[in-house]
Amino acid sequence: MKKNALLIILSFLISITVLGQETKIKNQDLSNIFPKPKVDKRIELVSIVARLAGYQEYNEDYCKTYTKDIHSYFDKFKNHPLISLASKLRMENGIGFDAVMKIAFHINQPPKLTPKVEFNSDIPESRWGKDNALKFLELLRDFYVVSEFEKFYNDHADLYSITEERFLPIYKTLNIDWYNQYYGINPNGSFNVIIGLGNGGSNYGGKVIYPDKKEDVYAIMGTWIVDSTNLPVYKNENYFPTLVHEFNHSFVNPLIDKFSNQLENYGKAIYKLSKGNMRRQSYGTWKSMMYESLVRASVIRYLLKNDSYQTATNQLIEEIGNGFYWMQELVNLLYDYENNRSKYPTLENFMPVIVDFYDKIAKESETMYEIKK
């Protein structure tokens, strides 16, 4: 049995050091790279396919009127070959969650629905594979036509307009310049907020990388709060940290991937002891845990810089409760990064320090648990 590490951690005084100096990145007009949030045809189309194929995470029912409309309109197409393929890929390749959204934002708008960049074994995502992804798009184009998806989308134009308008206050709160300051790199592309009305409480991040190295970054925001008329409601305290979180994935995940050989043994050791909490949040591998860990610590650093100490502390307590029992130490470690930017111009430069940190956490972890042999 293992002791409750959360109670041990919370017995200590929450102490988060505040942001120090930061590398100065050349000021830019960010309005052209941070368009207003929108509902996107690709996201709605592909999420509806996942819903019809029975993907549990795409079958939440928060926006009841909208999801009722989806089933009323599209259920008669459940026998389409696309739905069969989607079900098969779920079972055999583990397609789901972010893999669904990644193929959606890697394709051009309908009716084209063609790859924005050349697909390969890792693009749009490794679980797809090139051949499966291309077959999916072939059938998706047919499904789009046969189902008359455009009619469904146009019939809900007013709902989409209200949704976009209601998300604006969340969008306007975000300091998009923080990302290039914090990660030490100038943005080369766009930051896109997409609102998924049928995505329930799930949110996703990712990016498209073009041959010229331009990058379009995406935060796909779910919708899980509605008012008495079943229209979506976006409250800052519920949605804002998640928006900050999802954009962080586009910067953090490639760093974890790049240093995966150095992190793997430590990550596996930590995951072995915390896998119960991780699996409850659908993080099934040590690497997904590592993605989330650094992303969540970076969100807290954002809140310290742009919100309040109390908001950041509340977020820290929540993350410890989620099973990231090392979060306080990692947040404080990132203070060292932020306060020594002449030595560490980018977070990538700081990654060897983070690797050493996880080495220490892996060695100390078993002392926080009592394990029966």
Side-chain angles (χ1 to χ4, degrees):
M1 299 291 292
K2 62 184 181 181
K3 295 179 179 178
N4 190 329
L6 172 60
L7 294 178
I8 298 172
I9 293 292
L10 289 181
S11 69
F12 296 127
L13 174 67
I14 301 291
S15 60
I16 316 176
T17 43
V18 190
L19 177 65
Q21 67 189 40
E22 57 187 20
T23 296
K24 295 298 181 183
I25 304 298
K26 183 179 179 181
N27 291 331
Q28 299 186 42
D29 176 10
L30 297 176
S31 60
N32 63 324
I33 68 167
F34 191 35
K36 290 182 179 180
K38 61 183 180 180
V39 178
D40 186 287
K41 289 181 183 179
R42 300 166 300 170
I43 300 303
E44 294 307 302
L45 174 61
V46 177
S47 69
I48 287 170
V49 170
R51 177 179 288 271
L52 297 180
Y55 292 19
Q56 182 179 356
E57 66 277 17
Y58 286 92
N59 268 277
E60 293 183 317
D61 194 27
Y62 293 101
C63 298
K64 293 185 182 299
T65 301
Y66 184 64
T67 55
K68 182 180 179 181
D69 287 352
I70 289 174
H71 287 290
S72 176
Y73 189 91
F74 289 101
D75 275 1
K76 59 182 171 289
F77 301 105
K78 281 187 175 182
N79 291 327
H80 190 280
L82 174 64
I83 308 307
S84 298
L85 175 63
S87 298
K88 180 174 181 286
L89 292 175
R90 172 76 157 196
M91 294 294 295
E92 296 181 358
N93 292 30
I95 294 294
F97 293 99
D98 60 329
V100 176
M101 292 294 97
K102 284 180 179 177
I103 198 169
F105 61 67
H106 271 89
I107 59 179
N108 292 299
Q109 290 287 351
K112 286 186 175 181
L113 298 173
T114 52
K116 299 179 77 172
V117 294
E118 185 176 356
F119 284 1
N120 57 36
S121 58
D122 294 314
I123 300 173
E125 209 266 5
S126 58
R127 281 170 286 178
W128 281 99
K130 180 178 178 178
D131 291 343
N132 286 330
L134 292 176
K135 179 63 176 177
F136 183 88
L137 293 191
E138 177 187 342
L139 293 174
L140 184 66
R141 288 188 288 271
D142 184 72
F143 180 86
Y144 169 80
V145 173
V146 170
S147 69
E148 297 184 357
F149 172 85
E150 199 72 22
K151 181 182 185 304
F152 175 86
Y153 193 88
N154 290 338
D155 286 346
H156 291 83
D158 289 343
L159 171 62
Y160 300 149
S161 179
I162 291 170
T163 297
E164 292 167 355
E165 181 179 348
R166 289 188 171 189
F167 201 91
L168 271 177
I170 308 294
Y171 159 85
K172 290 179 178 178
T173 302
L174 186 67
N175 175 14
I176 200 68
D177 191 51
W178 175 86
Y179 292 92
N180 58 316
Q181 295 289 347
Y182 179 77
Y183 290 100
I185 53 177
N186 279 314
N188 180 28
S190 61
F191 288 76
N192 303 274
V193 180
I194 308 298
I195 310 160
L197 276 173
N199 284 16
S202 297
N203 309 273
Y204 307 98
K207 61 183 175 181
V208 179
I209 304 175
Y210 297 93
D212 63 0
K213 304 304 179 184
K214 177 185 174 184
E215 299 181 353
D216 287 339
V217 178
Y218 288 86
I220 313 296
M221 299 296 297
T223 301
W224 60 91
I225 301 174
V226 297
D227 62 19
S228 59
T229 64
N230 260 312
L231 291 174
V233 175
Y234 301 100
K235 297 179 179 180
N236 194 75
E237 63 269 25
N238 300 113
Y239 285 89
F240 184 71
T242 302
L243 178 59
V244 178
H245 177 118
E246 296 307 336
F247 275 137
N248 270 299
H249 270 296
S250 294
F251 297 89
V252 165
N253 290 21
L255 293 178
I256 298 299
D257 290 340
K258 187 169 185 176
F259 286 83
S260 62
N261 288 340
Q262 297 96 310
L263 288 167
E264 183 173 5
N265 288 338
Y266 313 139
K268 286 181 175 178
I270 298 168
Y271 187 82
K272 181 179 179 181
L273 297 172
S274 55
K275 63 184 178 183
N277 283 315
M278 295 300 126
R279 287 178 176 173
R280 276 191 289 275
Q281 299 166 84
S282 299
Y283 307 136
T285 67
W286 70 267
K287 188 179 281 190
S288 60
M289 177 193 71
M290 286 289 191
Y291 292 154
E292 290 296 323
S293 179
L294 188 51
V295 162
R296 291 167 188 236
S298 297
V299 169
I300 295 169
R301 295 311 314 180
Y302 175 97
L303 295 174
L304 283 166
K305 173 69 174 176
N306 296 281
D307 199 300
S308 70
Y309 181 88
Q310 187 58 55
T311 302
T313 301
N314 292 343
Q315 192 70 33
L316 171 63
I317 294 171
E318 180 178 331
E319 301 306 358
I320 294 172
N322 287 330
F324 297 92
Y325 59 83
W326 57 91
M327 186 58 62
Q328 181 178 333
E329 293 180 72
L330 181 56
V331 169
N332 284 332
L333 182 69
L334 290 171
Y335 165 80
D336 295 336
Y337 160 63
E338 292 179 334
N339 211 39
N340 290 278
R341 296 302 293 276
S342 58
K343 182 177 181 181
Y344 305 109
T346 70
L347 189 59
E348 182 174 346
N349 297 134
F350 193 69
M351 282 301 295
V353 180
I354 292 176
V355 171
D356 290 341
F357 166 78
Y358 281 118
D359 179 16
K360 178 177 75 74
I361 294 298
K363 290 174 180 175
E364 292 177 351
S365 290
E366 290 207 19
T367 66
M368 303 180 68
Y369 294 82
E370 182 179 325
I371 301 176
K372 287 186 177 180
K373 302 295 185 180

